[in-house]
């Protein structure tokens, strides 16, 4: 297993609500990337944080936002939840010392009803 | 924009046999990395093998090896002596190696591998 942890494991929200997902990066890693994996699909890149600043964003609307903290842990916030936001959300940490190889957490399963 | 295609939604192999999973990609870049990730039912994505595009030699990791054909933009994964624990979803992924580029991974849609005892 990697040293990347995510919380919560599962959660259920109602359409229109807001949600915050959390990720703790592996020790020594300063970069966190977030991915959305819909059922039966490959992960899609949401955005990446490097040293507390956003360092690239995929094709996701502004209601998807994030933060990275001084200890390099990170949050993904989603506002105004839609049914299509139901997915597995993966975070991955990396650093320059590992060819930027990404080490994934176990994911958070979000269900929007 | 770069794309990754996995044309085999599902594959099956007998225990101890060999199986090859296919992946093609499209890019105009010359410097990049290619990866195979394994995602078991536990959901945690695990790196299986990495290939640097500038290296002509195919990467190997124990029972896992790749056939990297840069001109054809093909990157297949061969699993030898298949084991029950190899059963999982396998994703092929691309990452740009250009300085300043976000090191995001671009994934294919995956191949679900079943291993029959």
């Amino acid at each position: 297993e990697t040293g990347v942890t995510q919380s919560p494991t599962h959660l259920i929200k109602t359409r229109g609500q807001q949600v915050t997902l959390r990720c703790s990066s592996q020790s020594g890693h300063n970069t966190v990337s977030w991915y959305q994996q819909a059922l039966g699909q490959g992960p899609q890149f949401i955005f990446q944080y490097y040293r507390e600043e956003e360092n690239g964003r995929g094709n996701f609307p502004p209601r998807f936002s994030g933060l990275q903290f001084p200890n390099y842990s990170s949050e993904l916030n989603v506002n105004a939840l839609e049914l299509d936001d139901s997915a597995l959300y993966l975070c991955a940490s990396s650093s320059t010392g590992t060819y930027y190889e990404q080490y994934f957490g176990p994911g958070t399963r979000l269900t929007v009803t | 924009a770069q794309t990754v295609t996995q044309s085999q939604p599902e594959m099956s192999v007998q225990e101890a046999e060999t199986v090859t999973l296919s992946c093609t990609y499209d890019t105009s870049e010359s410097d990049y990395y290619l990866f195979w990730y394994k995602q078991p039912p536990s959901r945690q994505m695990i790196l299986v093998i990495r290939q640097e595009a500038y290296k002509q030699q195919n990467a190997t990791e124990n029972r896992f090896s790749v056939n990297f054909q840069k001109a054809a933009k093909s990157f297949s994964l061969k699993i030898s002596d298949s084991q029950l624990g190899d059963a999982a979803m396998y994703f092929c992924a691309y990452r740009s190696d250009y300085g300043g580029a976000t090191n995001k991974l671009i994934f294919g849609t995956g191949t679900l591998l079943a291993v029959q005892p």
Side-chain angles (χ1 to χ4, degrees), chain A residues 68-79:
Chain A
Q68 187 179 32
F69 300 99
N71 66 355
Y72 302 130
S73 65
S74 178
E75 286 183 354
L76 164 65
N77 299 290
V78 187
N79 294 321

Side-chain angles (χ1 to χ4, degrees), chain A:
Chain A
E1 291 193 358
T2 70
V4 182
T5 61
Q6 292 186 244
S7 62
T9 305
H10 300 88
L11 75 165
I12 300 173
K13 290 287 190 177
T14 302
R15 190 170 49 184
Q17 287 188 316
Q18 179 265 343
V19 68
T20 297
L21 310 182
R22 295 178 176 83
C23 172
S24 291
S25 59
Q26 186 162 309
S27 177
H29 288 185
N30 56 16
T31 302
V32 173
S33 304
W34 286 92
Y35 294 84
Q36 181 195 66
Q37 186 178 13
L39 197 62
Q41 299 296 316
Q44 298 289 317
F45 175 73
I46 302 174
F47 46 55
Q48 182 180 93
Y49 279 83
Y50 171 66
R51 294 186 175 180
E52 302 180 57
E53 300 214 353
E54 189 178 287
N55 182 42
R57 186 178 184 92
N59 189 26
F60 282 81
R63 59 190 185 83
F64 285 78
S65 63
L67 282 173
Q68 187 179 32
F69 300 99
N71 66 355
Y72 302 130
S73 65
S74 178
E75 286 183 354
L76 164 65
N77 299 290
V78 187
N79 294 321
L81 283 167
E82 300 177 359
L83 296 179
D84 284 348
D85 295 334
S86 295
L88 180 67
Y89 288 85
L90 298 169
C91 87
S93 72
S94 57
S95 75
T96 55
T98 59
Y99 295 93
Y100 287 109
E101 281 183 14
Q102 299 195 15
Y103 295 82
F104 284 83
T108 293
R109 172 74 66 191
L110 171 64
T111 302
V112 182
T113 62

Side-chain angles (χ1 to χ4, degrees), chain A residues 1-4 9-10 31 33 35 37 40-45 48 55-58 88 90 94 98-109, chain B residues 6 33 35 37 39 41-47 49-52 54-55 89 91-92 94-97 100-110:
Chain A
E1 291 193 358
T2 70
V4 182
T9 305
H10 300 88
T31 302
S33 304
Y35 294 84
Q37 186 178 13
Q41 299 296 316
Q44 298 289 317
F45 175 73
Q48 182 180 93
N55 182 42
R57 186 178 184 92
L88 180 67
L90 298 169
S94 57
T98 59
Y99 295 93
Y100 287 109
E101 281 183 14
Q102 299 195 15
Y103 295 82
F104 284 83
T108 293
R109 172 74 66 191
Chain B
Q6 293 179 252
Y33 290 88
F35 304 86
Y37 279 88
Q39 188 177 41
S42 67
R43 308 181 321 202
Q44 188 141 15
M45 197 80 75
I46 302 164
L47 178 64
I49 199 163
R50 178 188 79 236
Q51 175 77 45
E52 294 91 333
Y54 66 85
K55 289 187 178 179
M89 182 71 87
F91 290 99
C92 178
Y94 172 102
R95 197 196 84 206
S96 174
D97 192 29
T102 302
N103 61 322
K104 67 178 181 182
L105 291 168
I106 300 170
F107 287 89
T109 51

